[in-house]
Amino acid sequence: MKISVLTGEQKKYFMKEAILEAKKAELINEVPIGAIVVLDGKIIGRGHNVRELSQDATTHAELLAIKDANRKLGSWRLERAQLFVTLEPCPMCSGAILMSRIDEVFYGAKDPKGGTVDSLMNLLQDNRFNHMSYVESGILENECGQLLTDFFKKLRNRKKKQKKTSISDRSLV
Amino acid sequence: MKISVLTGEQKKYFMKEAILEAKKAELINEVPIGAIVVLDGKIIGRGHNVRELSQDATTHAELLAIKDANRKLGSWRLERAQLFVTLEPCPMCSGAILMSRIDEVFYGAKDPKGGTVDSLMNLLQDNRFNHMSYVESGILENECGQLLTDFFKKLRNRKKKQKKTSISDRSLV
């Protein structure tokens, strides 16, 4: 069985960088998900979810981090690279990981409704594809998950408040 | 069971447009795969594979056509749209179809080694995801497949020729 080239400390260090990316998304009211790509101990790609701002369905954190790494390296191949992401990847991002041949994937929180690395299936370790990635889950899981829980709680409260305001507006008519 | 909103003639017409995109890829020595996105009978997104030129692992035909459609509409949601692509989508592009909520997908040739709509699995009709797309295969299948067969044949011949030249070069030394 393959063992990651990174130490436990390195994994936490890089996941904190992915969390920093997630916080950039939160600041602009996007679902807080962040990702980075690492090669030889250096961050070569960064990305955070900007789907609402960009109105582009493909602007997930992982996809943007992969594109950034491709641009920095001048190559679509990321064969010796690691990807850190705060949430379990969706099918599109799992696919992008396979297409760019990323070697190792580390994620924080599970996505039971849409994750395709552990939750619904494992696209990254299906030997019928021409690439497979090493996967490790649960890196700073609580911190990664809490970001999402807090975001959706705030969103619900904001919506409730808006509803209340619109009802009281109507009562004035 | 859902039946497509398009007629057989319309499907052929739009697949020919996807084939035109694939031919653009071929002209620049990229694997000839093309895609278009259609809404209300109009083409709102076009894309062809440019992976080698861009050195970006995410620049598959479908992903670029979806991004183009998102840009044209100013929305990441393509809920009433159809996607036409010359080859069965890979996991990344199947995922992008789900993420953009495309309604109907039509493809030409099967990809037995990497296709995730019929060949290896069906990501587009898995009711655990929050979206499913109608799928129809085999639209102008022979023409779509022939483009790829011809491309790889030419590539092999070019490589053989290069090998021969390099051997005769060495014999001159």
Side-chain angles (χ1 to χ4, degrees):
Chain A
M1 214 186 102
K2 191 183 181 307
I3 294 171
S4 171
V5 294
L6 301 180
T7 65
E9 276 313 296
Q10 284 176 314
K11 290 173 201 170
K12 276 187 198 161
Y13 172 82
F14 288 125
M15 190 57 85
K16 277 182 188 162
E17 291 289 327
I19 290 173
L20 278 180
E21 281 300 313
K23 285 182 177 170
K24 288 184 195 170
E26 194 186 21
L27 273 176
I28 50 170
N29 291 322
E30 296 275 354
V31 179
I33 306 164
I36 58 159
V37 175
V38 175
L39 183 69
D40 298 332
K42 280 183 194 142
I43 298 172
I44 59 160
R46 310 189 75 106
H48 55 272
N49 170 43
V50 288
R51 190 182 64 173
E52 300 306 323
L53 182 72
S54 67
Q55 287 297 318
D56 177 330
T58 74
T59 54
H60 285 196
E62 304 95 307
L63 209 111
L64 295 176
I66 287 170
K67 284 174 83 71
D68 193 27
N70 286 154
R71 200 162 37 228
K72 290 245 176 70
L73 279 190
S75 171
W76 62 262
R77 293 170 193 271
L78 303 174
E79 271 131 345
R80 291 182 303 106
Q82 294 92 35
L83 181 129
F84 287 79
V85 57
T86 56
L87 184 69
E88 184 184 353
C90 77
M92 175 178 72
C93 293
S94 304
I97 289 162
L98 292 177
M99 292 306 126
S100 58
R101 315 263 167 95
I102 281 175
D103 190 34
E104 303 188 341
V105 173
F106 302 89
Y107 72 86
K110 276 207 166 32
D111 181 3
K113 286 185 185 170
T116 50
V117 173
D118 280 312
S119 297
L120 301 183
M121 60 188 78
N122 188 350
L123 288 175
L124 298 187
Q125 287 166 344
D126 185 324
N127 63 14
R128 296 172 301 169
F129 293 124
N130 66 358
H131 181 77
M132 291 197 283
S133 303
Y134 169 89
V135 174
E136 219 176 295
S137 64
I139 320 283
L140 300 180
E141 184 172 3
N142 290 342
E143 205 174 328
C144 292
Q146 198 60 47
L147 267 171
L148 289 160
T149 312
D150 291 348
F151 177 82
F152 286 112
K153 200 174 164 184
K154 270 186 210 160
L155 196 71
R156 276 193 303 273
N157 285 341
R158 209 161 43 227
K159 278 187 182 165
K160 255 191 219 165
K161 221 173 166 181
Q162 277 172 349
K163 214 175 165 185
K164 248 188 187 165
T165 317
S166 91
I167 288 170
S168 68
D169 279 356
R170 260 184 283 162
S171 68
L172 291 173
V173 178
Chain B
M1 214 185 101
K2 191 183 182 309
I3 295 171
S4 170
V5 293
L6 301 180
T7 66
E9 276 313 297
Q10 283 176 315
K11 290 173 200 170
K12 277 187 197 163
Y13 171 82
F14 287 125
M15 189 57 85
K16 278 182 187 163
E17 290 289 326
I19 290 173
L20 279 180
E21 281 299 314
K23 286 182 177 170
K24 289 184 196 170
E26 195 187 19
L27 274 176
I28 51 169
N29 291 322
E30 297 274 354
V31 179
I33 306 164
I36 59 160
V37 175
V38 175
L39 183 70
D40 299 332
K42 278 182 196 144
I43 298 171
I44 58 160
R46 310 189 74 106
H48 55 273
N49 169 45
V50 289
R51 189 182 64 171
E52 300 305 323
L53 182 72
S54 67
Q55 287 298 319
D56 176 331
T58 73
T59 53
H60 285 194
E62 303 93 308
L63 209 111
L64 294 177
I66 287 169
K67 285 174 82 72
D68 192 29
N70 286 155
R71 198 163 38 230
K72 291 245 176 69
L73 279 190
S75 171
W76 64 262
R77 294 171 192 268
L78 303 173
E79 271 132 345
R80 291 183 303 106
Q82 294 93 33
L83 180 128
F84 287 78
V85 57
T86 56
L87 185 69
E88 183 183 354
C90 77
M92 175 179 72
C93 294
S94 303
I97 289 162
L98 292 177
M99 292 306 126
S100 57
R101 317 262 167 96
I102 281 176
D103 190 35
E104 303 188 341
V105 173
F106 303 88
Y107 73 87
K110 276 208 166 34
D111 181 3
K113 286 184 186 172
T116 50
V117 174
D118 280 311
S119 297
L120 302 183
M121 61 188 74
N122 187 350
L123 288 175
L124 298 188
Q125 287 167 343
D126 184 325
N127 63 15
R128 296 172 301 170
F129 293 124
N130 66 357
H131 180 77
M132 291 198 283
S133 304
Y134 169 88
V135 175
E136 220 176 293
S137 64
I139 320 283
L140 300 180
E141 184 173 3
N142 290 342
E143 204 174 330
C144 292
Q146 198 61 48
L147 268 172
L148 289 160
T149 311
D150 291 348
F151 176 82
F152 286 112
K153 200 174 163 184
K154 270 187 210 160
L155 196 70
R156 275 193 303 275
N157 285 341
R158 209 161 43 226
K159 279 186 181 167
K160 256 190 220 167
K161 222 174 166 179
Q162 278 171 349
K163 215 175 165 186
K164 250 187 185 168
T165 318
S166 90
I167 289 170
S168 68
D169 279 356
R170 259 184 283 162
S171 68
L172 291 173
V173 178

